[in-house]
């Protein structure tokens, strides 16, 4: 009994310290990122602008260009990593990424339809968001019609099928698209970018992400139990099917919202939860905030690189893959037996 | 009666694995389910736990039909000890035990200090308190099985269902797990806990002084106290080879299959396999 309470304190205090330390680090990194760019700013200049002073040019750079983009990088990174951690726990597989059920393929098709019809940017974003949600909705609907005792495997397989169908339709539209104007836009969308982000893009996505994170945070203990598999979770008193539905819906809402904003940004949702699990362990109550914080920091670094290392913008998806893929191999190589 | 099943048809979809099964488990009783591979033991357990629907007949927990109960209500009445397995993520053993408290929490609830204390007490009771902060995925099979039994204890149910709790354990671990099953069943103090377990070793039914349900091809072939239900005739008929039940000098019963007569029974095992 005495030991039980000791274990409790031992476990919880470092977790809070860790969350606090990561948050502080994130603020410092964001501050640093504001200073970096073609138009360099000193610490004093940034502080002055944040205090409502500073010269006109610095104010425009900070408020209109850098901060929206930094905010987007933090939001997209946190969202993808949180969704990835959720899907990995749900599918009991650490190799799962947030687009396992076809949300990226669906959002891609939605975006391509929007680009093909030459819709305004906002409409393309809405179309991508709807495409992502519809794709996963169709996957869940079809999976519920298939009679198979292994629900998660059924979901994954139907996800592959729906993803392939959406990919096929996307390819068809690419063939039909205007090769000088629309095709490059489609290509860049699938590589992901935060270059064109403004406040107006960011503000609608933010509440959607919060709405998605809320059920994940509330259900955090049940997500742990669900990662033992349906049968055991049920015998422990969890309504497995219903809980899984809410977790998938929430994680999909998050992923679709930020994918509509940034295009397809791969690898974040796959790699970051691994790093978070190495630091705070597999308990979802700690894994979810840790993944979100580390994901935010990671994408901030990558996006700052994307806008500064070359004369032109390097597509985000290229960088996340170039950094993420070898890192993942390193993780696997150092990995002991399990997935810690 | 903790649990009653009447005229139960079990199986998946349209495929029936067993028919007309009736059984009851009394408070404080140990029931031992025996039978060859594929006779329907696991399917029966899944039906009793409400994990798959009965294809016919009824299962009732403390008089209430299981089909009308929510998962959390079932989980407060029956705990399930699956065969020891490796989870995909490296949870601490105490966290795995703590999951036994889930049915006592709200949908958005988190286990608190009282739950941690209950989980730790369950581990202490099984003598595995030292495993509390160890990585469950790195424990031995015997240790994992004990952690899963501790989880069932933490669930605080009047009935525990164990699916081959000694399968894949070495000789020493089998004896240890068996001793713990004997210790947690029965009327200990104010609690009365029943255990229903499946096993491949009929000796265990004698060792646990259990009531036996001997199963063959989806039906109960014999049932009753171990020394009534497990005889040369019933065991030979169910397992398809000559078995002799012998008494040792210490008074224990052991079941001895005939290995010498293999040639004469080859046809039988070939037909049933």
């Amino acid at each position: 009994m005495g030991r039980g309470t000791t274990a409790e304190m031992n476990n919880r205090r470092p977790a809070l310290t860790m969350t606090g330390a990561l948050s502080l680090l994130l603020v410092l990194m964001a501050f640093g990122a504001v200073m970096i760019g073609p138009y360099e700013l000193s610490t004093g200049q940034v502080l002055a602008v944040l205090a409502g002073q500073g010269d006109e040019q610095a104010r425009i750079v900070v408020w209109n260009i850098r901060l929206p983009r930094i905010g987007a990088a933090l939001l997209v990174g946190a969202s993808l990593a949180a969704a990835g951690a959720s899907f990995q726990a749900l599918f009991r597989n650490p190799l799962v990424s947030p687009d396992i059920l076809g949300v990226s393929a669906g959002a891609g098709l939605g975006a391509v339809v929007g680009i093909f019809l030459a819709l305004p940017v906002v409409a393309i974003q809405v179309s991508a968001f709807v495409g992502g949600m519809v794709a996963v909705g169709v996957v869940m609907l079809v999976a519920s019609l298939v009679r198979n005792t292994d629900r998660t495997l059924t979901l994954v397989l139907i996800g592959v099928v729906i993803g392939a169908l959406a990919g096929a339709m996307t390819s068809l539209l690419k063939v039909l698209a205007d090769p000088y104007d629309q095709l490059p836009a489609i290509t860049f969308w699938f590589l992901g970018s935060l270059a064109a982000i403004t406040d107006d893009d960011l503000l609608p996505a933010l509440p959607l992400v919060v709405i998605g994170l809320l059920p994940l945070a509330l259900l955090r203990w049940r997500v742990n139990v669900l990662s033992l598999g349906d049968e055991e979770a049920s015998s422990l008193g969890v309504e497995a099917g219903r809980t899984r539905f809410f977790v998938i819906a929430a994680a999909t809402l998050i992923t679709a919202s930020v994918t509509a904003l940034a295009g397809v940004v791969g690898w974040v949702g796959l790699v970051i939860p691994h790093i978070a699990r190495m630091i705070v362990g597999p308990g979802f109550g700690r894994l979810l905030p840790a993944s979100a914080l580390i994901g935010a920091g990671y994408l901030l670094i990558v996006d700052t690189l994307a806008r500064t290392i070359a004369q032109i913008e390097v597509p985000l998806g290229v960088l996340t893959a170039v950094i993420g893929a070898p890192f993942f191999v390193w993780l696997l190589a150092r990995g002991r037996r399990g997935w810690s | 009666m903790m649990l009653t099943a009447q005229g139960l048809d079990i199986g998946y979809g349209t495929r029936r694995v067993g028919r007309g099964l009736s059984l009851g488990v009394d408070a404080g009783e140990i029931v031992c389910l025996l039978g060859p591979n594929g006779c329907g033991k696991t399917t029966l357990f899944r039906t009793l736990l409400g994990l798959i629907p009965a294809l016919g007949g009824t299962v009732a927990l403390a008089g209430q039909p299981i089909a009308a109960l929510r998962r959390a209500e079932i989980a407060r009445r029956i705990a399930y000890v699956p065969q020891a397995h490796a989870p995909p993520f490296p949870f601490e053993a105490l966290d795995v035990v703590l999951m036994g408290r889930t049915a006592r929490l709200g949908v958005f609830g988190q286990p608190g200090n009282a739950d941690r204390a209950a989980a730790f007490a369950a581990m202490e009771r099984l003598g595995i308190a030292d495993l509390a902060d160890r990585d469950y995925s790195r424990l031995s099979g015997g240790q994992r099985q004990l952690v899963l039994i501790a989880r069932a204890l933490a669930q605080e149910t009047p009935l525990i269902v164990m699916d081959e709790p000694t399968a894949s354990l070495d000789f020493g671990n089998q004896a240890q797990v068996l001793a713990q099953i004997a210790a947690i069943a029965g009327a200990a103090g104010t609690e009365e806990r029943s255990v229903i377990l499946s096993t491949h070793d009929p000796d265990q039914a004698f060792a646990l002084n259990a009531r036996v349900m001997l199963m063959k091809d989806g039906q109960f072939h014999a049932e009753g106290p171990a020394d009534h239900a497990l005889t040369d005739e019933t065991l030979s008929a169910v397992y398809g080879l000559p078995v002799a039940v012998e008494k040792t000098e210490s008074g224990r019963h052991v079941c001895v299959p005939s290995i010498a007569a293999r040639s004469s029974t080859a046809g039988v095992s070939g037909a049933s396999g």
Side-chain angles (χ1 to χ4, degrees):
Chain A
M1 173 98 182
R3 195 151 175 281
T5 37
T6 322
E8 158 84 3
M9 288 167 75
N10 286 348
N11 278 337
R12 213 151 271 182
R13 196 139 321 144
L16 276 180
T17 315
M18 180 70 68
T19 310
L22 284 174
S23 306
L24 186 66
L25 189 65
L26 210 52
V27 172
L28 293 177
M29 282 165 56
F31 191 87
V34 176
M35 295 161 59
I36 303 169
Y39 183 86
E40 278 188 34
L41 294 166
S42 68
T43 317
Q45 278 176 301
V46 175
L47 283 174
V49 170
L50 291 180
Q53 294 156 348
D55 60 84
E56 179 74 20
Q57 195 165 11
R59 278 217 297 275
I60 290 172
V61 168
V62 171
W63 288 112
N64 295 3
I65 300 170
R66 302 247 167 103
L67 278 180
R69 182 153 184 178
I70 288 164
L74 296 174
L75 182 70
V76 173
S79 300
L80 292 176
S86 310
F87 278 121
Q88 288 180 4
L90 204 61
F91 289 100
R92 315 176 59 204
N93 190 327
L95 293 176
V96 159
S97 66
D99 46 13
I100 179 89
L101 294 182
V103 61
S104 298
L109 179 59
V112 170
V113 168
I115 295 168
F116 184 73
L117 299 176
L119 299 178
V121 175
V122 180
I124 293 173
Q125 288 174 346
V126 171
S127 176
F129 172 76
V130 171
M133 295 299 287
V134 166
V136 176
V138 170
V139 169
M140 290 209 273
L141 184 68
V142 175
S144 72
L145 300 175
V146 175
R147 283 183 132 221
N148 187 324
T149 43
D150 193 337
R151 304 309 305 167
T152 49
L153 182 66
T154 308
L155 275 170
V156 171
L157 292 178
I158 308 274
V160 171
V161 170
I162 300 297
L165 283 176
M169 285 187 267
T170 300
S171 299
L172 177 66
L173 287 175
K174 277 162 113 173
V175 171
L176 299 173
D178 171 5
Y180 298 103
D181 183 20
Q182 295 175 338
L183 200 51
I186 292 172
T187 305
F188 278 111
W189 195 90
F190 276 93
L191 292 173
S193 173
L194 297 174
I197 293 286
T198 66
D199 288 347
D200 295 338
D201 303 319
L202 207 51
L203 291 178
L206 192 61
L208 290 176
V209 169
V210 172
I211 290 170
L213 282 175
L214 201 65
L216 295 178
L218 288 173
L219 290 167
R220 60 192 184 278
W221 178 253
R222 304 222 145 200
V223 171
N224 282 335
V225 181
L226 213 51
S227 74
L228 296 176
D230 273 22
E231 196 148 280
E232 266 185 86
S234 298
S235 77
L236 291 168
V238 173
E239 306 281 350
R242 203 177 307 163
T243 310
R244 181 169 47 236
F245 173 85
F246 282 114
V247 173
I248 290 177
T252 301
L253 178 66
I254 294 171
T255 313
S257 306
V258 297
T259 305
L261 199 68
V264 177
V265 180
W267 289 93
V268 180
L270 178 60
V271 175
I272 299 301
H274 280 265
I275 301 173
R277 209 174 286 118
M278 277 162 49
I279 299 172
V280 301
F284 195 67
R286 281 178 242 153
L287 185 62
L288 184 70
S291 294
L293 288 170
I294 298 171
Y298 173 72
L299 207 64
L300 177 62
I301 294 171
V302 173
D303 186 57
T304 306
L305 288 176
R307 63 185 171 87
T308 53
I309 53 171
Q311 289 293 315
I312 55 153
E313 280 264 346
V314 183
L316 209 49
V318 172
L319 276 182
T320 53
V322 165
I323 299 170
F327 183 76
F328 195 63
V329 172
W330 175 77
L331 272 182
L332 292 180
R334 76 165 272 296
R336 308 167 311 189
R337 196 162 50 80
W339 296 101
S340 44
Chain B
M1 233 14 138
M2 302 280 38
L3 175 136
T4 32
Q6 247 153 17
L8 206 57
D9 289 358
I10 56 170
Y12 303 91
T14 54
R15 197 168 61 85
R16 266 162 217 256
V17 176
R19 277 171 194 280
L21 299 167
S22 294
L23 82 157
V25 182
D26 264 325
E29 195 179 27
I30 301 181
V31 174
C32 192
L33 191 62
L34 279 161
N37 284 331
C39 73
K41 297 189 294 286
T42 302
T43 312
L44 175 59
F45 277 175
R46 293 169 113 181
T47 313
L48 294 181
L49 286 157
L51 296 174
I52 53 172
L55 302 183
T58 54
V59 178
L61 288 174
Q64 286 180 288
I66 200 166
L69 296 174
R70 284 180 289 119
R71 283 302 343 165
E73 292 172 318
I74 297 172
R76 286 193 290 267
R77 291 172 167 85
I78 313 191
Y80 172 51
V81 179
Q83 290 186 33
H85 53 65
F89 302 114
F91 286 107
E92 282 177 15
L94 185 66
D95 285 336
V96 174
V97 177
L98 206 48
M99 291 187 196
R101 305 295 298 173
T102 305
R104 297 178 183 277
L105 307 169
V107 173
F108 300 139
Q110 306 297 314
N113 285 338
D115 296 302
R116 288 190 163 261
F120 194 75
M123 296 187 82
E124 265 180 335
R125 176 154 181 196
L126 295 181
I128 52 168
D130 56 320
L131 301 181
D133 52 6
R134 294 265 301 275
D135 176 352
Y136 174 79
S137 66
R138 290 165 161 250
L139 299 179
S140 73
Q143 289 172 325
R144 277 185 205 165
Q145 194 67 64
L146 287 172
V147 169
L148 293 179
I149 295 175
R151 187 178 76 186
L153 286 180
Q155 211 168 327
E156 289 178 4
T157 56
L159 175 62
I160 300 180
V161 175
M162 301 187 185
D163 191 7
E164 295 182 16
T166 56
S168 75
L169 299 189
D170 69 34
F171 187 71
N173 275 320
Q174 285 197 12
Q176 202 196 342
V177 167
L178 219 56
Q180 295 295 358
I181 293 171
I184 60 172
T190 53
E191 47 178 353
E192 272 201 324
R193 195 180 288 111
S194 324
V195 171
I196 172 164
L197 75 152
S198 61
T199 174
H200 282 302
D201 185 353
D203 291 356
Q204 293 181 352
F206 284 111
L208 291 169
N209 197 19
R211 192 154 63 80
V212 169
M213 309 293 289
L214 191 57
M215 208 173 171
K216 187 193 183 189
D217 298 334
Q219 292 191 314
F220 291 133
H221 189 81
E223 56 181 280
D227 45 358
H228 277 264
L230 299 181
T231 62
D232 298 3
E233 294 75 34
T234 56
L235 286 168
S236 302
V238 164
Y239 288 101
L241 81 175
V243 181
V245 180
E246 294 173 3
K247 208 167 186 177
T248 62
E249 279 177 29
S250 64
R252 278 269 291 273
H253 288 82
V254 288
C255 306
V256 188
S258 163
I259 295 172
R262 175 175 277 189
S263 57
S264 67
T265 58
V268 177
S269 52
S272 64

